[in-house]
């Protein structure tokens, strides 16, 4: 096997610049597109699906669609992970999935916003459900094999941290690009284009850019030169999944990860509404906030690596939970009632989130790679694909629950923004709960297994 070089690390990391653009578009703007607030509706936004709590009296159409999409995505994660582990392609186990899923993934990301009828109809509801399911399935086809490569490309702790740091950087940049969308569609609207057409054109441009990035590792990464080939008999999916969840430390890691992603998804989905409804700032202000967050978090990349090497990944993640809890709580209380200018409050939200964004961007993926490599050392079976698939299976359940919770809570007293405050405070409480679960993860036991190997 060839030694992992910096150029190969960045070749791999470019793929992580692509799919977060698509993920960010859907996570940040799908609810904003299909369930607009009063200000957006007044600005000319078309209503495509029924609004309010019209499903069973406590769910919205958008909330149910996104939750089912996440649930379907979670269920297909073990399937794709097992297919990837058992793949015997001449290109390797992971690269074929990256190569052939990128373009369909990009197309589905645009089509999910392209409900065909310019009014509320059942056909638009069906369209939304079909393409949100397709979008999440194709996300799994790319994301699960992609992240599985972390445990196989990186052979040492230093390589894992370097790889995780680089893909965290490209993840943040990719997500930040998705937050530029309002600036682009506002420019199109200023040029005379209708709001819906301007938003769709913006999403199409961003999706094409994302596909180009995602194809880089799919085409140019020579997987077999750096990763061990699949060997032995193919493992049935349910058997592999059961063995993966039999790992005690992995179960505790997954538990805190579910709670973290529930909190983060609620907060990320709510950010455009926090800007407009709580801070009373223009919708385009979400872009400089996230760009500022990206820039501020970069300052902590080197310190996070240093702290992780000195104190361990677990302690740094616990500290990150505490910072996020404080930040989300402050967001829930922000607005005109605080004796601070709204822009100053926005700056506090950004700066407080910088350290935990860096920590959660780098360390959890390295922790999964640690557990997967420790399991390989103990059993002789390489199930990296299933470990990363099981992790995404679990945290997407948290995301599904978050979308249900957000779209329902957001309907509470929309004129006063009370629902958005409840969302932020709930996210804060979840961060404290996630930290409590992580306390049971035995990092020393995992590290000893790697040292023994």
């Amino acid at each position: 096997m060839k030694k992992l070089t910096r150029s190969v690390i960045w070749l791999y990391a470019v793929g992580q610049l692509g799919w977060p653009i698509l993920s960010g578009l859907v996570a940040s703007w799908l609810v904003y597109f299909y369930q607009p607030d009063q200000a957006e509706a007044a600005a000319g936004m078309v209503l495509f699906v029924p609004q309010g709590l019209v499903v069973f009296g406590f769910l919205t159409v958008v909330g149910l669609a996104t939750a089912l999409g996440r649930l379907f995505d979670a269920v297909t994660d073990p399937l794709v992970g097992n297919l990837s582990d058992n793949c015997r392609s001449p290109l390797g186990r992971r690269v074929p999935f990256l190569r052939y899923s990128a373009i369909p993934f990009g197309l589905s990301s645009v089509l999910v916003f392209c409900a065909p009828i310019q009014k509320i109809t059942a056909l638009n509801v069906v369209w939304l459900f079909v393409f949100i399911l397709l979008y999440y399935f194709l996300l799994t086809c790319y994301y699960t094999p992609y992240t599985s490569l972390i445990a196989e490309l990186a052979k040492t702790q230093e390589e894992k941290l370097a790889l995780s740091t680089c893909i965290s950087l490209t993840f943040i940049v990719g997500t930040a690009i998705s937050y530029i969308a309002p600036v682009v569609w506002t420019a199109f609207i200023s040029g005379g284009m209708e709001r819906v057409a301007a938003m769709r054109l913006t999403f199409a441009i961003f999706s094409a850019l994302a596909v180009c990035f995602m194809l880089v590792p799919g085409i140019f990464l020579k997987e077999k030169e750096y990763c061990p080939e699949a060997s032995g008999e193919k493992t049935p999916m349910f058997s592999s999944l059961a063995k993966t969840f039999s790992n005690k430390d992995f179960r505790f890691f997954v538990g805190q990860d579910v709670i973290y992603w529930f909190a983060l998804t609620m907060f990320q989905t709510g950010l455009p509404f926090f800007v407009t409804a709580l801070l009373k700032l223009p919708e385009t202000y979400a872009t400089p906030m996230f760009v500022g967050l990206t820039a501020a978090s970069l300052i902590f990349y080197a310190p996070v690596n240093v702290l992780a090497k000195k104190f361990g990944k677990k302690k740094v993640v616990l500290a990150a939970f505490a910072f996020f809890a404080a930040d989300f709580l402050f967001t829930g209380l922000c607005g005109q009632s605080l004796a601070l200018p709204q822009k100053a409050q926005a700056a506090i939200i950004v700066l407080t989130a910088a350290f935990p964004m860096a920590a959660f961007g780098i360390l959890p993926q390295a922790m999964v790679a640690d557990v997967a490599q420790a399991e390989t050392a103990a059993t002789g079976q390489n199930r990296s694909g299933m470990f990363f698939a099981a992790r995404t299976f679990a945290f997407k359940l948290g995301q599904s629950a978050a979308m249900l919770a957000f779209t329902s809570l957001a309907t509470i007293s929309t004129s006063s923004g009370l629902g958005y405050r409840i969302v932020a405070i709930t996210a804060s409480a979840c961060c404290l709960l996630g930290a409590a679960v992580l306390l049971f993860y035995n990092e020393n036991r995992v590290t000893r297994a790697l040292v023994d190997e």
Side-chain angles (χ1 to χ4, degrees):
M1 295 295 163
K2 289 186 177 180
K3 180 178 176 59
L4 187 63
T5 63
R6 187 169 296 276
S7 61
V8 175
I9 290 176
W10 282 109
L11 178 68
Y12 170 71
V14 169
Q16 185 103 328
L17 185 58
W19 74 259
I21 296 177
L22 304 181
S23 177
L25 291 178
V26 173
S28 300
W29 306 116
L30 186 72
V31 176
Y32 201 67
F33 186 87
Y34 281 108
Q35 191 176 310
D37 60 15
Q38 294 176 351
E40 191 185 2
M45 189 63 206
V46 175
L47 299 181
F48 292 96
V49 299
Q51 305 294 294
L53 303 176
V54 297
V55 183
F56 309 125
F58 65 93
L59 298 175
T60 66
V61 169
V62 179
L64 181 61
T66 52
L68 287 179
R70 283 293 188 187
L71 183 60
F72 177 71
D73 182 21
V75 170
T76 56
D77 271 318
L79 172 63
V80 174
N82 193 59
L83 288 173
S84 179
D85 279 341
N86 292 327
C87 181
R88 300 295 188 268
S89 168
L91 297 174
R93 286 189 286 181
R94 321 299 181 188
V95 162
F97 290 86
L98 310 188
R99 179 175 296 187
Y100 298 118
S101 65
I103 294 176
F105 181 24
L107 287 173
S108 69
S109 303
V110 178
L111 291 173
V112 76
F113 292 99
C114 293
I117 310 298
Q118 296 288 96
K119 63 180 181 179
I120 296 174
T121 68
L123 178 59
N124 288 341
V125 174
V126 173
W127 181 282
L128 175 61
F129 273 78
V130 168
F131 282 101
I132 201 71
L133 292 177
L134 182 61
Y135 161 83
Y136 280 119
F137 173 70
L138 291 167
L139 169 61
T140 295
C141 289
Y142 190 93
Y143 176 80
T144 296
Y146 179 86
T147 52
S148 302
L149 283 167
I150 298 173
E152 296 171 352
L153 288 171
K155 306 300 189 298
T156 66
Q157 287 293 326
E158 288 73 18
E159 288 179 346
K160 270 183 282 190
L161 283 175
L163 201 62
S164 295
T165 300
C166 289
I167 65 174
S168 172
L169 173 61
T170 51
F171 173 84
I172 288 179
V173 172
T175 308
I177 291 173
S178 73
Y179 268 84
I180 301 174
V183 176
V184 178
W185 77 56
T186 300
F188 288 143
I189 293 171
S190 299
M193 189 176 290
E194 292 184 354
R195 185 177 180 84
V196 171
M199 295 179 77
R200 287 173 173 170
L201 178 58
T202 300
F203 297 145
I205 293 170
F206 281 37
S207 295
L209 178 65
V211 168
C212 292
F213 289 138
M214 289 190 295
L215 285 173
V216 170
I219 294 175
F220 298 107
L221 181 63
K222 308 299 182 184
E223 179 185 339
K224 287 196 171 184
E225 294 182 2
Y226 300 94
C227 303
E229 295 188 35
S231 59
E233 296 182 357
K234 295 184 178 181
T235 307
M237 183 186 74
F238 289 108
S239 174
S240 180
L241 186 63
K243 290 178 181 178
T244 299
F245 274 105
S246 67
N247 187 299
K248 183 178 181 180
D249 293 305
F250 182 69
R251 291 199 303 272
F252 285 124
F253 172 85
V254 164
Q256 64 82 33
D257 213 35
V258 170
I259 299 168
Y260 162 71
W261 282 101
F262 177 87
L264 184 67
T265 302
M266 290 243 288
F267 190 82
Q268 183 183 28
T269 306
L271 184 58
F273 301 101
F274 301 151
V275 170
T276 58
L278 302 186
L279 294 174
K280 304 299 182 183
L281 294 170
E283 66 176 13
T284 53
Y285 207 79
T287 298
M289 283 183 67
F290 198 86
V291 171
L293 174 57
T294 301
S297 66
L298 294 179
I299 299 173
F300 290 98
Y301 270 56
V304 164
N305 276 272
V306 172
L307 291 171
K309 291 175 183 178
K310 184 174 182 179
F311 299 105
K313 304 180 188 73
K314 174 181 172 179
K315 290 181 179 178
V316 179
V317 173
L318 286 171
F321 264 128
F323 271 85
F324 259 151
D327 188 49
F328 295 169
L329 178 61
F330 177 81
T331 302
L333 301 175
C334 72
Q336 294 177 327
S337 60
L338 294 183
L340 284 172
Q342 278 85 343
K343 290 185 178 180
Q345 295 178 46
I348 292 173
I349 293 171
V350 167
L351 295 175
T352 308
F355 164 69
M357 281 292 290
F360 277 106
I362 296 171
L363 300 181
Q365 296 176 104
M367 293 168 75
V368 178
D370 285 344
V371 176
Q373 287 182 338
E375 182 76 4
T376 300
T379 65
Q381 295 180 327
N382 185 340
R383 298 195 309 277
S384 297
M386 186 55 77
F387 268 100
F388 280 91
R391 184 233 174 169
T392 54
F393 165 79
F395 82 62
K396 286 170 186 174
L397 292 180
Q399 290 177 319
S400 300
M403 293 305 298
L404 283 174
F406 175 84
T407 53
S408 297
L409 291 173
T411 63
I412 300 174
S413 188
T414 54
S415 58
S416 67
L418 176 61
Y420 302 132
R421 296 188 188 280
I422 294 173
V423 165
I425 293 171
T426 300
S428 175
C430 287
C431 287
L432 297 178
L433 178 60
V437 173
L438 184 60
L439 290 173
F440 294 93
Y441 171 77
N442 193 329
E443 186 174 33
N444 291 334
R445 178 165 51 211
V446 174
T447 303
R448 283 197 302 270
L450 295 175
V451 171
D452 291 342
E453 181 189 19

